[in-house]
Amino acid sequence: MRPEVVARISNAISTYLEFNDTADTPLPLLWDALKAVIKGEFIGISAVDNKLRREKRAHLQQQVMELEKIHKRKWALRVWRQLSAALLQLPGIDMDRAEYAALCLQQSYYVGGNRCGRLLATRLRAQHQWAAVPSIRLSGGLAVTSDAQIASAFRDFYRDLYSAQQTDPGPSLPYLEQARTPKLTPEEAAPLEAPIRLKEVISAIARLEALKSPAPDGFPGSIYKTFVCNWLPS
């Protein structure tokens, strides 16, 4: 993350907490609103970056067109070098667009993967083809391939399985009654029931994976690690 981005987000967090972290503000509301502020800052930064990227691409394309015209009229080493340098910069901008498209594709799988739609239908169709049972062999050794016979074989198998006579649990009851299950002592249970301490929160944040989100808000672990000093009490 660029230093100027870190500085801008840190300043936004500090300003927000300065005016909103009051005694009458519920902590869940404070936290949700803070995440909205952070997302807004990232959206603003992304909008500026996209505008600059589009302007740079348009400028490079215009420069390439002008240099190509000059290069066609009369070959010159200086013009050829300028044209080559401009052409080498274009793939870098296109690579950023490709990375963004891949990110959007992953997001579409995350957002729409479990909803009724074309994406889910395509995934289910592929999964159905992979999990289809083309044939099954009966207990007598005969292999059947029709859907009705396969369904009947599965039905008969599970009917016999769940209608089998249950085993008498009597012999195992004395053993279970005498078995000694481990129990926590009051001293061992006390830390588990105690309030969460600040150093435990910091330790948990330090163990987060940078590119994975620990919550449905979509913030990766790198966000928590970068700004941990901003939103934790000193």
Side-chain angles (χ1 to χ4, degrees), residues 94-130:
D94 293 335
M95 184 61 66
D96 293 337
R97 296 176 62 187
E99 292 178 355
Y100 178 73
L103 180 63
C104 291
L105 178 62
Q106 295 177 359
Q107 183 179 6
S108 66
Y109 271 88
Y110 174 76
V111 174
N114 59 347
R115 297 182 181 180
C116 295
R118 183 177 301 175
L119 176 61
L120 179 61
T122 303
R123 295 295 301 272
L124 290 178
R125 189 180 303 112
Q127 184 176 359
H128 176 73
Q129 294 175 355
W130 174 80

Side-chain angles (χ1 to χ4, degrees), residues 63-64 67 70 76-89:
Q63 184 180 4
V64 167
L67 290 174
I70 299 174
L77 180 60
R78 179 181 59 84
V79 176
W80 180 79
R81 288 178 176 175
Q82 293 177 353
L83 178 60
S84 300
L87 290 174
L88 287 175
Q89 296 181 46

Side-chain angles (χ1 to χ4, degrees), residues 195-205 228 231-234:
I196 299 176
R197 294 174 294 178
L198 180 59
K199 66 177 183 179
E200 294 176 338
V201 176
I202 297 176
S203 177
I205 293 176
V228 62
W231 51 42
L232 289 180
S234 56

Side-chain angles (χ1 to χ4, degrees), residues 16 30-43 219:
Y16 170 82
L30 182 70
W31 173 240
D32 290 338
L34 174 59
K35 291 189 291 185
V37 170
I38 296 174
K39 289 182 179 180
E41 292 294 330
F42 276 116
I43 291 174
F219 284 171

Side-chain angles (χ1 to χ4, degrees), residues 26-233:
L27 289 180
L29 177 61
L30 182 70
W31 173 240
D32 290 338
L34 174 59
K35 291 189 291 185
V37 170
I38 296 174
K39 289 182 179 180
E41 292 294 330
F42 276 116
I43 291 174
I45 294 171
S46 178
V48 173
D49 290 345
N50 290 335
K51 180 180 179 181
L52 294 177
R53 189 180 297 109
R54 289 193 299 267
E55 292 177 352
K56 182 178 180 180
R57 180 179 178 81
H59 175 72
L60 284 174
Q61 289 177 337
Q62 183 65 27
Q63 184 180 4
V64 167
M65 292 176 59
E66 294 176 356
L67 290 174
E68 285 180 342
K69 292 179 181 178
I70 299 174
H71 184 65
K72 289 179 181 179
R73 290 196 301 265
K74 183 178 180 181
W75 187 91
L77 180 60
R78 179 181 59 84
V79 176
W80 180 79
R81 288 178 176 175
Q82 293 177 353
L83 178 60
S84 300
L87 290 174
L88 287 175
Q89 296 181 46
L90 284 175
I93 301 178
D94 293 335
M95 184 61 66
D96 293 337
R97 296 176 62 187
E99 292 178 355
Y100 178 73
L103 180 63
C104 291
L105 178 62
Q106 295 177 359
Q107 183 179 6
S108 66
Y109 271 88
Y110 174 76
V111 174
N114 59 347
R115 297 182 181 180
C116 295
R118 183 177 301 175
L119 176 61
L120 179 61
T122 303
R123 295 295 301 272
L124 290 178
R125 189 180 303 112
Q127 184 176 359
H128 176 73
Q129 294 175 355
W130 174 80
V133 180
S135 64
I136 191 171
R137 190 176 299 277
L138 303 179
S139 57
L142 177 64
V144 294
T145 57
S146 68
D147 294 340
Q149 291 174 322
I150 293 175
S152 177
F154 275 104
R155 183 180 63 251
D156 295 342
F157 172 80
Y158 284 105
R159 181 191 59 198
D160 297 339
L161 176 65
Y162 290 108
S163 62
Q165 185 178 1
Q166 299 294 329
T167 305
D168 183 14
S172 59
L173 290 179
Y175 170 78
L176 295 176
E177 293 175 353
Q178 297 176 3
R180 294 184 178 181
T181 56
K183 295 182 180 180
L184 294 177
T185 63
E187 293 77 12
E188 294 173 336
L192 300 177
E193 299 176 353
I196 299 176
R197 294 174 294 178
L198 180 59
K199 66 177 183 179
E200 294 176 338
V201 176
I202 297 176
S203 177
I205 293 176
R207 294 195 301 268
L208 292 176
E209 296 190 27
L211 300 180
K212 290 188 177 181
S213 176
D217 53 29
F219 284 171
S222 58
I223 297 296
Y224 293 91
K225 291 182 177 182
T226 303
F227 304 106
V228 62
C229 297
N230 296 91
W231 51 42
L232 289 180

